[in-house]
Amino acid sequence: MKTIKKKIPKFKSTDEEIEFWDKNDATDFFNFQNLEKISFPNLKPSTKMISLRLPEALLERLKTLANKNDVPYQSLIKILLSEKVNEEFKKVG
């Protein structure tokens, strides 16, 4: 097992850190023999693409509303759908 001797320096910027890791090998700084699994529960949840047929008039209204709120229309659809689903779940307990 390799003893880790090198310390990672403090970086003044992201660019400085990128340049450092471009020129250095991570195995000189980390012991990869005894890795532990970790999770990041607050990361953006994964999404799944679906196909959804909407009446053209509804889609146009959604796009207009999204434009007025300065958000992409698909993001607006997700927001509205999420709000409505949460509302319905509150009704049924």
Side-chain angles (χ1 to χ4, degrees):
M1 182 187 285
K2 186 176 178 181
T3 304
I4 309 305
K5 295 181 179 179
K6 294 185 179 181
K7 283 191 168 187
I8 300 170
K10 300 252 186 223
F11 304 107
K12 295 177 184 172
S13 68
T14 304
D15 289 338
E16 186 178 308
E17 184 174 2
I18 291 169
E19 184 177 335
F20 175 83
W21 290 115
D22 280 344
K23 295 178 180 177
N24 290 279
D25 187 344
T27 58
D28 293 334
F29 298 87
F30 298 102
N31 181 352
F32 291 99
Q33 297 298 319
N34 300 315
L35 297 178
E36 293 180 28
K37 282 193 172 188
I38 60 170
S39 66
F40 298 96
N42 296 324
L43 290 179
K44 183 179 175 182
S46 61
T47 60
K48 181 171 183 150
M49 185 170 52
I50 63 167
S51 176
L52 180 65
R53 295 188 184 277
L54 298 174
E56 287 184 28
L58 175 59
L59 183 57
E60 288 305 315
R61 291 183 71 200
L62 284 164
K63 286 180 177 182
T64 300
L65 187 58
N67 190 29
K68 288 182 180 182
N69 288 293
D70 197 31
V71 296
Y73 78 94
Q74 290 181 347
S75 296
L76 178 65
I77 291 171
K78 287 186 272 189
I79 291 166
L80 295 173
L81 185 57
S82 177
E83 288 174 356
K84 187 62 178 178
V85 168
N86 288 338
E87 182 183 304
E88 290 298 316
F89 265 101
K90 285 179 184 176
K91 284 181 187 178
V92 297

Coordinates of all heavy atoms in Angstrom, one line a residue:
M1 N 0.8 -1.2 0.0 CA 0.0 0.0 0.0 C 0.9 1.2 0.0 O 1.8 1.4 0.8 CB -0.9 0.0 1.2 CG -1.9 1.2 1.3 SD -2.8 1.3 2.8 CE -4.0 0.1 2.5
K2 N 0.6 2.2 -0.9 CA 1.4 3.4 -1.0 C 1.0 4.4 0.0 O -0.1 4.6 0.3 CB 1.1 4.0 -2.4 CG 2.0 5.1 -2.8 CD 1.7 5.6 -4.2 CE 2.5 6.8 -4.6 NZ 2.3 7.2 -5.9
T3 N 2.0 5.0 0.7 CA 1.8 6.0 1.7 C 1.6 7.3 1.0 O 2.4 7.7 0.1 CB 3.0 6.1 2.7 OG1 3.1 4.8 3.3 CG2 2.7 7.1 3.7
I4 N 0.6 8.1 1.3 CA 0.3 9.3 0.7 C 1.2 10.4 1.4 O 1.1 10.6 2.6 CB -1.2 9.7 0.8 CG1 -2.0 8.6 0.3 CG2 -1.4 11.0 0.0 CD1 -1.7 8.1 -1.1
K5 N 2.1 11.1 0.6 CA 3.0 12.0 1.2 C 2.6 13.5 0.8 O 2.9 14.4 1.5 CB 4.4 11.7 0.9 CG 4.9 10.4 1.5 CD 6.3 10.1 1.1 CE 6.7 8.8 1.8 NZ 8.1 8.5 1.5
K6 N 2.1 13.6 -0.4 CA 1.8 15.0 -0.9 C 0.5 15.5 -0.4 O -0.5 14.9 -0.3 CB 1.8 14.9 -2.4 CG 3.2 14.6 -3.0 CD 3.1 14.7 -4.5 CE 4.5 14.4 -5.2 NZ 4.4 14.5 -6.6
K7 N 0.5 16.8 -0.1 CA -0.7 17.5 0.2 C -1.2 18.4 -1.0 O -0.4 18.9 -1.7 CB -0.4 18.5 1.4 CG -0.3 17.8 2.7 CD -0.3 18.9 3.8 CE -0.5 18.2 5.2 NZ -0.7 19.2 6.2
I8 N -2.5 18.4 -1.0 CA -3.1 19.2 -2.1 C -3.0 20.7 -1.7 O -3.4 21.0 -0.6 CB -4.6 18.8 -2.3 CG1 -4.7 17.3 -2.7 CG2 -5.2 19.7 -3.4 CD1 -6.1 16.8 -2.7
P9 N -2.5 21.5 -2.6 CA -2.4 23.0 -2.2 C -3.8 23.6 -2.2 O -4.7 23.1 -2.8 CB -1.5 23.5 -3.4 CG -1.7 22.6 -4.5 CD -2.0 21.2 -3.9
K10 N -3.8 24.8 -1.6 CA -5.0 25.6 -1.7 C -5.0 26.4 -3.0 O -3.9 26.9 -3.4 CB -5.0 26.6 -0.5 CG -5.0 26.0 0.8 CD -6.3 26.2 1.5 CE -6.2 25.6 2.9 NZ -7.3 24.9 3.3
F11 N -6.1 26.4 -3.7 CA -6.2 27.1 -5.0 C -6.9 28.4 -4.9 O -7.9 28.6 -4.1 CB -6.9 26.2 -6.0 CG -6.3 24.8 -6.1 CD1 -6.9 23.7 -5.5 CD2 -5.1 24.6 -6.8 CE1 -6.4 22.4 -5.6 CE2 -4.6 23.4 -6.9 CZ -5.2 22.3 -6.3
K12 N -6.4 29.4 -5.6 CA -7.0 30.7 -5.6 C -8.1 30.8 -6.6 O -8.9 31.7 -6.5 CB -5.9 31.8 -6.0 CG -4.8 31.9 -5.0 CD -3.7 32.8 -5.4 CE -2.6 32.9 -4.4 NZ -1.4 33.6 -4.9
S13 N -8.2 29.9 -7.6 CA -9.3 29.9 -8.6 C -9.5 28.5 -9.1 O -8.6 27.7 -9.0 CB -8.9 30.9 -9.7 OG -7.8 30.4 -10.5
T14 N -10.6 28.4 -9.8 CA -10.9 27.1 -10.4 C -9.9 26.8 -11.6 O -9.5 25.7 -11.7 CB -12.3 27.2 -11.0 OG1 -13.2 27.5 -10.0 CG2 -12.7 25.8 -11.6
D15 N -9.5 27.9 -12.3 CA -8.6 27.7 -13.4 C -7.2 27.2 -12.8 O -6.6 26.3 -13.4 CB -8.3 29.0 -14.1 CG -9.5 29.4 -15.0 OD1 -10.3 28.5 -15.3 OD2 -9.7 30.6 -15.3
E16 N -6.8 27.7 -11.7 CA -5.6 27.3 -11.1 C -5.7 25.8 -10.7 O -4.7 25.0 -10.9 CB -5.3 28.1 -9.8 CG -3.9 27.8 -9.2 CD -3.7 28.7 -8.0 OE1 -3.8 30.0 -8.1 OE2 -3.3 28.2 -6.9
E17 N -6.8 25.4 -10.1 CA -7.0 24.0 -9.8 C -7.0 23.1 -11.0 O -6.4 22.0 -11.0 CB -8.3 23.8 -9.0 CG -8.5 22.4 -8.5 CD -9.7 22.2 -7.6 OE1 -10.5 23.2 -7.4 OE2 -9.9 21.1 -7.1
I18 N -7.7 23.5 -12.0 CA -7.7 22.7 -13.3 C -6.3 22.5 -13.8 O -5.9 21.4 -14.2 CB -8.6 23.4 -14.3 CG1 -10.1 23.3 -13.9 CG2 -8.4 22.8 -15.7 CD1 -11.0 24.2 -14.7
E19 N -5.5 23.6 -13.8 CA -4.1 23.5 -14.3 C -3.3 22.6 -13.4 O -2.5 21.8 -14.0 CB -3.5 24.9 -14.3 CG -2.1 25.0 -14.9 CD -1.5 26.4 -14.9 OE1 -2.3 27.4 -14.9 OE2 -0.3 26.5 -14.9
F20 N -3.5 22.6 -12.1 CA -2.8 21.7 -11.2 C -3.1 20.3 -11.5 O -2.1 19.4 -11.7 CB -3.2 22.0 -9.8 CG -2.6 21.1 -8.8 CD1 -1.3 21.3 -8.3 CD2 -3.3 20.0 -8.3 CE1 -0.7 20.4 -7.4 CE2 -2.7 19.1 -7.4 CZ -1.4 19.3 -6.9
W21 N -4.4 19.9 -11.7 CA -4.7 18.5 -11.9 C -4.3 18.1 -13.3 O -4.2 16.9 -13.6 CB -6.2 18.3 -11.6 CG -6.4 18.3 -10.1 CD1 -7.2 19.2 -9.5 CD2 -5.9 17.5 -9.1 NE1 -7.2 19.0 -8.1 CE2 -6.4 17.9 -7.9 CE3 -5.0 16.4 -9.1 CZ2 -6.1 17.3 -6.7 CZ3 -4.7 15.8 -7.9 CH2 -5.2 16.2 -6.7
D22 N -4.2 19.0 -14.3 CA -3.7 18.6 -15.6 C -2.3 18.2 -15.6 O -1.8 17.4 -16.4 CB -3.9 19.8 -16.5 CG -5.3 20.0 -17.1 OD1 -6.1 19.1 -17.0 OD2 -5.6 21.1 -17.6
K23 N -1.5 18.7 -14.6 CA -0.1 18.5 -14.5 C 0.3 17.4 -13.5 O 1.5 17.0 -13.4 CB 0.7 19.8 -14.2 CG 0.6 20.8 -15.4 CD 1.3 22.1 -15.0 CE 1.1 23.1 -16.2 NZ 1.7 24.3 -15.8
N24 N -0.6 17.0 -12.6 CA -0.3 16.1 -11.5 C -1.2 14.9 -11.6 O -2.3 14.9 -12.1 CB -0.5 16.8 -10.2 CG 0.5 17.9 -9.9 OD1 1.6 17.6 -9.5 ND2 0.2 19.1 -10.2
D25 N -0.7 13.8 -11.0 CA -1.4 12.5 -10.9 C -2.1 12.4 -9.6 O -1.5 12.5 -8.5 CB -0.4 11.4 -11.1 CG -1.0 10.0 -11.2 OD1 -2.2 9.9 -10.9 OD2 -0.3 9.1 -11.7
A26 N -3.4 12.1 -9.6 CA -4.2 12.0 -8.4 C -3.7 10.9 -7.4 O -3.9 11.0 -6.2 CB -5.7 11.8 -8.7
T27 N -3.0 9.9 -8.0 CA -2.5 8.8 -7.2 C -1.4 9.2 -6.2 O -1.1 8.5 -5.3 CB -2.1 7.6 -8.0 OG1 -1.0 8.0 -8.9 CG2 -3.2 7.0 -8.8
D28 N -0.8 10.4 -6.5 CA 0.2 10.9 -5.6 C -0.4 11.6 -4.4 O 0.3 11.9 -3.4 CB 1.1 12.0 -6.4 CG 1.9 11.3 -7.4 OD1 2.2 10.1 -7.3 OD2 2.3 12.0 -8.4
F29 N -1.7 11.8 -4.5 CA -2.4 12.6 -3.4 C -3.5 11.8 -2.7 O -3.9 12.1 -1.6 CB -3.0 13.9 -4.0 CG -2.0 14.8 -4.6 CD1 -1.6 14.7 -5.9 CD2 -1.5 15.8 -3.8 CE1 -0.7 15.5 -6.4 CE2 -0.5 16.7 -4.3 CZ -0.1 16.5 -5.7
F30 N -4.0 10.8 -3.3 CA -5.1 10.0 -2.8 C -4.8 8.5 -2.8 O -4.2 8.0 -3.7 CB -6.4 10.2 -3.6 CG -6.9 11.6 -3.7 CD1 -6.7 12.4 -4.8 CD2 -7.6 12.1 -2.6 CE1 -7.2 13.7 -4.8 CE2 -8.1 13.4 -2.6 CZ -7.9 14.2 -3.7
N31 N -5.3 7.8 -1.8 CA -5.1 6.4 -1.7 C -6.4 5.7 -2.2 O -7.5 5.9 -1.6 CB -4.9 5.9 -0.2 CG -4.7 4.4 -0.1 OD1 -4.9 3.7 -1.1 ND2 -4.3 4.0 1.1
F32 N -6.3 5.1 -3.4 CA -7.5 4.5 -4.0 C -7.7 3.1 -3.6 O -8.6 2.4 -4.2 CB -7.4 4.7 -5.5 CG -7.5 6.1 -6.0 CD1 -6.3 6.8 -6.3 CD2 -8.7 6.7 -6.2 CE1 -6.4 8.2 -6.7 CE2 -8.8 8.0 -6.6 CZ -7.6 8.8 -6.9
Q33 N -7.0 2.6 -2.7 CA -7.1 1.2 -2.3 C -8.4 0.9 -1.4 O -9.0 -0.1 -1.6 CB -5.9 0.7 -1.5 CG -4.6 0.8 -2.3 CD -4.6 -0.1 -3.5 OE1 -5.1 -1.3 -3.4 NE2 -4.1 0.3 -4.6
N34 N -8.7 1.8 -0.6 CA -9.8 1.6 0.4 C -10.9 2.6 0.2 O -11.3 3.4 1.1 CB -9.4 1.6 1.8 CG -8.3 0.6 2.1 OD1 -8.5 -0.6 1.7 ND2 -7.2 1.0 2.8
L35 N -11.5 2.7 -1.0 CA -12.5 3.6 -1.3 C -13.9 3.3 -0.6 O -14.2 2.1 -0.4 CB -12.8 3.7 -2.8 CG -11.6 4.2 -3.7 CD1 -11.9 4.1 -5.1 CD2 -11.1 5.6 -3.2
E36 N -14.6 4.3 -0.3 CA -15.9 4.1 0.3 C -17.0 4.7 -0.6 O -16.7 5.7 -1.3 CB -16.0 4.9 1.6 CG -15.2 4.3 2.7 CD -15.3 5.1 4.0 OE1 -16.4 5.7 4.3 OE2 -14.4 5.2 4.8
K37 N -18.1 4.0 -0.7 CA -19.2 4.6 -1.5 C -19.9 5.7 -0.8 O -20.1 5.6 0.5 CB -20.3 3.5 -1.8 CG -19.9 2.6 -2.9 CD -21.1 1.7 -3.3 CE -20.7 0.9 -4.6 NZ -21.8 0.3 -5.2
I38 N -20.2 6.8 -1.5 CA -20.9 7.9 -0.9 C -22.0 8.3 -1.8 O -22.1 7.9 -3.0 CB -20.0 9.1 -0.7 CG1 -19.4 9.6 -2.0 CG2 -18.9 8.8 0.3 CD1 -18.7 10.9 -1.9
S39 N -23.0 9.0 -1.3 CA -24.1 9.4 -2.1 C -24.3 10.9 -2.0 O -23.9 11.5 -1.0 CB -25.4 8.7 -1.7 OG -25.8 9.1 -0.4
F40 N -24.8 11.5 -3.0 CA -25.1 12.9 -3.0 C -26.6 13.1 -3.2 O -27.1 13.3 -4.3 CB -24.3 13.6 -4.1 CG -22.8 13.5 -4.0 CD1 -22.1 12.5 -4.6 CD2 -22.2 14.3 -3.2 CE1 -20.8 12.4 -4.5 CE2 -20.8 14.2 -3.0 CZ -20.1 13.2 -3.7
P41 N -27.4 13.0 -2.1 CA -28.9 13.0 -2.3 C -29.4 14.4 -2.7 O -30.6 14.4 -3.2 CB -29.3 12.7 -0.8 CG -28.2 13.2 0.0 CD -27.0 12.9 -0.7
N42 N -28.7 15.4 -2.7 CA -29.2 16.7 -3.1 C -28.9 17.1 -4.5 O -29.1 18.3 -4.9 CB -28.8 17.8 -2.1 CG -29.3 17.6 -0.7 OD1 -30.4 17.1 -0.5 ND2 -28.5 17.9 0.3
L43 N -28.3 16.2 -5.2 CA -28.0 16.5 -6.6 C -29.3 16.6 -7.4 O -30.3 16.0 -7.1 CB -27.1 15.5 -7.2 CG -25.6 15.5 -6.7 CD1 -24.8 14.4 -7.3 CD2 -25.0 16.8 -7.0
K44 N -29.2 17.2 -8.6 CA -30.4 17.3 -9.5 C -30.8 15.8 -9.8 O -30.1 15.0 -10.2 CB -30.0 18.0 -10.7 CG -31.1 18.2 -11.7 CD -30.6 19.0 -12.9 CE -31.7 19.1 -13.9 NZ -31.2 19.8 -15.1
P45 N -32.1 15.6 -9.6 CA -32.6 14.2 -9.9 C -32.5 13.9 -11.4 O -32.6 14.8 -12.2 CB -34.1 14.2 -9.4 CG -34.4 15.7 -9.3 CD -33.2 16.5 -9.1
S46 N -32.4 12.6 -11.7 CA -32.3 12.2 -13.1 C -33.7 12.4 -13.7 O -34.7 12.4 -13.1 CB -31.8 10.8 -13.2 OG -32.7 9.9 -12.6
T47 N -33.7 12.6 -15.0 CA -34.9 12.8 -15.7 C -35.1 11.7 -16.8 O -34.1 11.1 -17.2 CB -35.0 14.2 -16.4 OG1 -33.9 14.3 -17.3 CG2 -34.9 15.3 -15.4
K48 N -36.3 11.5 -17.2 CA -36.5 10.6 -18.3 C -37.4 11.3 -19.4 O -38.3 12.0 -19.1 CB -37.3 9.4 -17.7 CG -37.6 8.3 -18.7 CD -38.2 7.1 -18.1 CE -38.4 6.1 -19.2 NZ -38.3 4.7 -18.7
M49 N -36.9 11.1 -20.6 CA -37.6 11.7 -21.7 C -38.9 10.9 -22.0 O -38.9 9.7 -22.0 CB -36.7 11.8 -22.9 CG -37.4 12.6 -24.0 SD -36.3 12.9 -25.4 CE -35.6 11.3 -25.8
I50 N -40.0 11.7 -22.2 CA -41.3 11.1 -22.6 C -41.8 11.8 -23.8 O -41.4 13.0 -24.0 CB -42.3 11.0 -21.4 CG1 -42.7 12.5 -21.0 CG2 -41.8 10.2 -20.3 CD1 -43.9 12.6 -20.1
S51 N -42.8 11.3 -24.4 CA -43.5 11.9 -25.5 C -44.9 12.2 -25.0 O -45.5 11.3 -24.5 CB -43.5 11.0 -26.7 OG -44.3 11.6 -27.7
L52 N -45.3 13.4 -25.1 CA -46.6 13.9 -24.6 C -47.3 14.7 -25.7 O -46.8 15.7 -26.2 CB -46.4 14.7 -23.4 CG -47.6 15.3 -22.7 CD1 -48.4 14.1 -22.1 CD2 -47.2 16.2 -21.5
R53 N -48.5 14.2 -26.1 CA -49.2 14.9 -27.1 C -50.1 15.9 -26.4 O -50.9 15.6 -25.5 CB -50.0 14.0 -28.0 CG -49.1 13.0 -28.8 CD -50.0 12.2 -29.7 NE -49.1 11.3 -30.4 CZ -48.4 11.5 -31.5 NH1 -48.4 12.8 -32.0 NH2 -47.7 10.6 -32.1
L54 N -50.0 17.2 -26.8 CA -50.9 18.3 -26.3 C -51.6 18.9 -27.4 O -51.1 19.0 -28.5 CB -50.0 19.3 -25.6 CG -49.2 18.9 -24.4 CD1 -48.3 20.0 -23.9 CD2 -50.1 18.4 -23.2
P55 N -52.8 19.4 -27.1 CA -53.5 20.2 -28.1 C -52.6 21.4 -28.5 O -52.0 22.0 -27.6 CB -54.8 20.7 -27.4 CG -55.0 19.7 -26.3 CD -53.6 19.3 -25.9
E56 N -52.6 21.8 -29.7 CA -51.7 22.9 -30.2 C -52.1 24.2 -29.5 O -51.1 24.9 -29.1 CB -51.9 23.1 -31.7 CG -51.2 22.0 -32.5 CD -51.3 22.3 -34.0 OE1 -51.4 23.4 -34.4 OE2 -51.3 21.3 -34.7
A57 N -53.3 24.5 -29.2 CA -53.7 25.7 -28.5 C -53.1 25.7 -27.1 O -52.6 26.8 -26.7 CB -55.2 25.8 -28.5
L58 N -53.2 24.6 -26.4 CA -52.6 24.6 -25.1 C -51.1 24.8 -25.1 O -50.5 25.5 -24.3 CB -52.9 23.2 -24.4 CG -52.3 22.9 -23.0 CD1 -52.7 24.0 -22.0 CD2 -52.7 21.6 -22.6
L59 N -50.4 24.1 -26.1 CA -49.0 24.3 -26.2 C -48.6 25.8 -26.5 O -47.7 26.3 -25.9 CB -48.4 23.4 -27.3 CG -46.9 23.4 -27.4 CD1 -46.2 23.0 -26.1 CD2 -46.5 22.4 -28.5
E60 N -49.4 26.4 -27.3 CA -49.1 27.8 -27.6 C -49.3 28.7 -26.4 O -48.5 29.6 -26.2 CB -50.0 28.3 -28.8 CG -49.5 27.7 -30.1 CD -48.1 28.0 -30.5 OE1 -47.6 29.2 -30.3 OE2 -47.4 27.1 -30.9
R61 N -50.3 28.4 -25.6 CA -50.6 29.2 -24.4 C -49.5 29.0 -23.4 O -49.0 29.9 -22.7 CB -51.9 28.8 -23.8 CG -53.1 29.3 -24.7 CD -54.4 29.0 -24.0 NE -54.6 29.9 -22.9 CZ -55.5 29.7 -21.9 NH1 -56.2 28.6 -21.9 NH2 -55.6 30.5 -20.9
L62 N -49.0 27.7 -23.3 CA -47.9 27.4 -22.4 C -46.6 28.2 -22.8 O -45.9 28.7 -22.0 CB -47.6 25.9 -22.4 CG -48.6 25.1 -21.5 CD1 -48.4 23.6 -21.9 CD2 -48.3 25.3 -20.0
K63 N -46.3 28.2 -24.1 CA -45.2 28.9 -24.7 C -45.3 30.4 -24.4 O -44.3 31.0 -24.0 CB -45.0 28.6 -26.1 CG -44.5 27.2 -26.4 CD -44.3 27.0 -27.9 CE -43.7 25.6 -28.2 NZ -43.5 25.4 -29.6
T64 N -46.5 30.9 -24.6 CA -46.7 32.4 -24.3 C -46.4 32.7 -22.9 O -45.8 33.7 -22.5 CB -48.1 32.8 -24.8 OG1 -48.3 32.5 -26.1 CG2 -48.3 34.3 -24.5
L65 N -47.0 31.9 -22.0 CA -46.8 32.1 -20.6 C -45.4 31.9 -20.2 O -44.9 32.7 -19.3 CB -47.7 31.0 -19.8 CG -47.8 31.2 -18.3 CD1 -48.4 32.5 -17.9 CD2 -48.7 30.1 -17.8
A66 N -44.7 31.0 -20.7 CA -43.3 30.8 -20.4 C -42.5 32.0 -20.9 O -41.6 32.5 -20.1 CB -42.8 29.5 -21.1
N67 N -42.8 32.5 -22.0 CA -42.1 33.7 -22.6 C -42.3 34.9 -21.6 O -41.3 35.6 -21.4 CB -42.6 34.0 -24.0 CG -41.7 35.0 -24.7 OD1 -40.6 35.1 -24.4 ND2 -42.3 35.8 -25.6
K68 N -43.5 35.1 -21.1 CA -43.8 36.2 -20.2 C -43.0 36.0 -18.9 O -42.7 37.0 -18.3 CB -45.3 36.3 -20.0 CG -46.1 36.8 -21.2 CD -47.5 36.9 -20.8 CE -48.3 37.4 -22.1 NZ -49.7 37.6 -21.8
N69 N -42.8 34.8 -18.5 CA -42.1 34.5 -17.3 C -40.6 34.3 -17.5 O -39.8 34.0 -16.5 CB -42.7 33.3 -16.5 CG -44.0 33.6 -16.0 OD1 -44.1 34.4 -15.0 ND2 -45.1 33.0 -16.5
D70 N -40.1 34.4 -18.7 CA -38.7 34.3 -19.1 C -38.1 33.0 -18.6 O -37.1 32.9 -18.0 CB -37.9 35.5 -18.5 CG -36.6 35.6 -19.2 OD1 -36.5 35.3 -20.4 OD2 -35.6 36.1 -18.6
V71 N -38.9 31.9 -18.9 CA -38.4 30.5 -18.6 C -38.7 29.7 -19.9 O -39.6 30.0 -20.6 CB -39.1 29.9 -17.4 CG1 -38.8 30.6 -16.1 CG2 -40.6 29.7 -17.6
P72 N -37.9 28.6 -20.1 CA -38.2 27.7 -21.2 C -39.5 27.1 -21.0 O -39.9 26.7 -19.8 CB -37.0 26.7 -21.1 CG -36.0 27.4 -20.3 CD -36.6 28.3 -19.4
Y73 N -40.3 26.8 -22.0 CA -41.6 26.3 -21.9 C -41.6 24.9 -21.3 O -42.6 24.6 -20.5 CB -42.4 26.4 -23.2 CG -42.1 25.3 -24.2 CD1 -42.9 24.1 -24.3 CD2 -41.1 25.5 -25.1 CE1 -42.6 23.2 -25.2 CE2 -40.8 24.5 -26.0 CZ -41.6 23.3 -26.1 OH -41.3 22.4 -27.0
Q74 N -40.6 24.1 -21.6 CA -40.6 22.7 -21.0 C -40.4 22.8 -19.5 O -40.9 22.0 -18.7 CB -39.6 21.9 -21.7 CG -40.0 21.5 -23.1 CD -39.0 20.6 -23.8 OE1 -37.8 20.5 -23.3 NE2 -39.4 20.1 -24.9
S75 N -39.6 23.8 -19.1 CA -39.4 24.0 -17.6 C -40.7 24.4 -17.0 O -41.0 23.9 -15.9 CB -38.3 25.0 -17.4 OG -37.0 24.5 -17.9
L76 N -41.4 25.3 -17.6 CA -42.7 25.7 -17.1 C -43.6 24.6 -17.0 O -44.3 24.4 -16.0 CB -43.3 26.8 -18.0 CG -44.6 27.4 -17.5 CD1 -44.5 28.0 -16.1 CD2 -45.2 28.3 -18.5
I77 N -43.7 23.7 -18.0 CA -44.6 22.5 -17.9 C -44.2 21.7 -16.7 O -45.1 21.2 -16.0 CB -44.5 21.7 -19.2 CG1 -45.1 22.5 -20.4 CG2 -45.2 20.4 -19.1 CD1 -44.9 21.9 -21.8
K78 N -42.9 21.5 -16.5 CA -42.5 20.6 -15.3 C -42.9 21.3 -14.0 O -43.3 20.6 -13.1 CB -41.0 20.4 -15.4 CG -40.6 19.4 -16.5 CD -39.1 19.1 -16.4 CE -38.3 20.1 -17.2 NZ -36.9 19.7 -17.3
I79 N -42.8 22.6 -13.9 CA -43.1 23.3 -12.7 C -44.6 23.2 -12.4 O -45.1 22.8 -11.3 CB -42.7 24.8 -12.8 CG1 -41.2 24.9 -12.8 CG2 -43.4 25.6 -11.7 CD1 -40.7 26.3 -13.2
L80 N -45.4 23.5 -13.5 CA -46.9 23.4 -13.3 C -47.3 22.0 -13.0 O -48.2 21.8 -12.2 CB -47.6 24.0 -14.6 CG -47.3 25.4 -14.9 CD1 -47.9 25.8 -16.3 CD2 -47.9 26.3 -13.8
L81 N -46.8 21.0 -13.7 CA -47.2 19.6 -13.5 C -46.8 19.2 -12.0 O -47.6 18.6 -11.3 CB -46.5 18.7 -14.5 CG -46.8 17.3 -14.5 CD1 -48.3 17.1 -14.6 CD2 -46.1 16.5 -15.5
S82 N -45.6 19.6 -11.6 CA -45.2 19.2 -10.2 C -46.1 19.9 -9.2 O -46.5 19.2 -8.2 CB -43.7 19.7 -10.0 OG -43.3 19.4 -8.7
E83 N -46.4 21.1 -9.4 CA -47.3 21.8 -8.4 C -48.7 21.1 -8.4 O -49.2 20.9 -7.3 CB -47.5 23.3 -8.8 CG -46.3 24.1 -8.6 CD -46.4 25.6 -9.1 OE1 -47.4 25.9 -9.7 OE2 -45.4 26.3 -8.9
K84 N -49.2 20.8 -9.5 CA -50.5 20.1 -9.5 C -50.5 18.7 -8.9 O -51.4 18.4 -8.2 CB -51.0 20.1 -11.0 CG -52.4 19.6 -11.1 CD -53.4 20.5 -10.4 CE -54.9 20.0 -10.6 NZ -55.8 20.8 -9.9
V85 N -49.4 18.0 -9.2 CA -49.3 16.6 -8.6 C -49.2 16.8 -7.1 O -49.9 16.0 -6.4 CB -48.1 15.9 -9.2 CG1 -47.8 14.6 -8.4 CG2 -48.4 15.5 -10.7
N86 N -48.4 17.7 -6.6 CA -48.3 17.9 -5.2 C -49.6 18.3 -4.5 O -50.0 17.8 -3.5 CB -47.2 18.9 -4.8 CG -45.8 18.4 -5.1 OD1 -45.6 17.2 -5.1 ND2 -44.9 19.4 -5.3
E87 N -50.4 19.1 -5.2 CA -51.7 19.6 -4.8 C -52.6 18.4 -4.7 O -53.4 18.2 -3.7 CB -52.2 20.6 -5.8 CG -53.6 21.2 -5.4 CD -54.0 22.1 -6.5 OE1 -53.2 23.1 -6.8 OE2 -55.1 22.0 -7.1
E88 N -52.6 17.5 -5.7 CA -53.5 16.3 -5.7 C -53.1 15.3 -4.6 O -54.0 14.7 -4.0 CB -53.5 15.7 -7.1 CG -54.1 16.5 -8.2 CD -55.6 16.7 -7.9 OE1 -56.3 15.8 -7.5 OE2 -56.1 17.9 -8.1
F89 N -51.8 15.2 -4.4 CA -51.4 14.3 -3.3 C -51.8 14.8 -1.9 O -52.2 14.0 -1.1 CB -49.9 14.1 -3.3 CG -49.4 12.9 -4.1 CD1 -49.0 12.9 -5.4 CD2 -49.5 11.6 -3.5 CE1 -48.6 11.8 -6.1 CE2 -49.1 10.5 -4.2 CZ -48.6 10.6 -5.5
K90 N -51.9 16.1 -1.8 CA -52.3 16.7 -0.5 C -53.8 16.4 -0.3 O -54.3 16.1 0.8 CB -52.1 18.2 -0.4 CG -50.6 18.5 -0.2 CD -50.4 20.0 -0.2 CE -48.9 20.3 -0.1 NZ -48.6 21.7 -0.1
K91 N -54.6 16.4 -1.4 CA -56.0 16.1 -1.3 C -56.3 14.7 -0.8 O -57.2 14.4 -0.1 CB -56.7 16.3 -2.6 CG -56.9 17.8 -3.0 CD -57.6 17.9 -4.4 CE -57.7 19.3 -4.9 NZ -58.3 19.3 -6.2
V92 N -55.5 13.7 -1.4 CA -55.8 12.3 -1.1 C -55.1 11.8 0.2 O -55.3 10.7 0.6 CB -55.5 11.4 -2.3 CG1 -56.3 11.7 -3.5 CG2 -54.0 11.5 -2.7
G93 N -54.2 12.7 0.7 CA -53.5 12.3 1.9 C -52.3 11.5 1.7 O -51.7 10.7 2.1

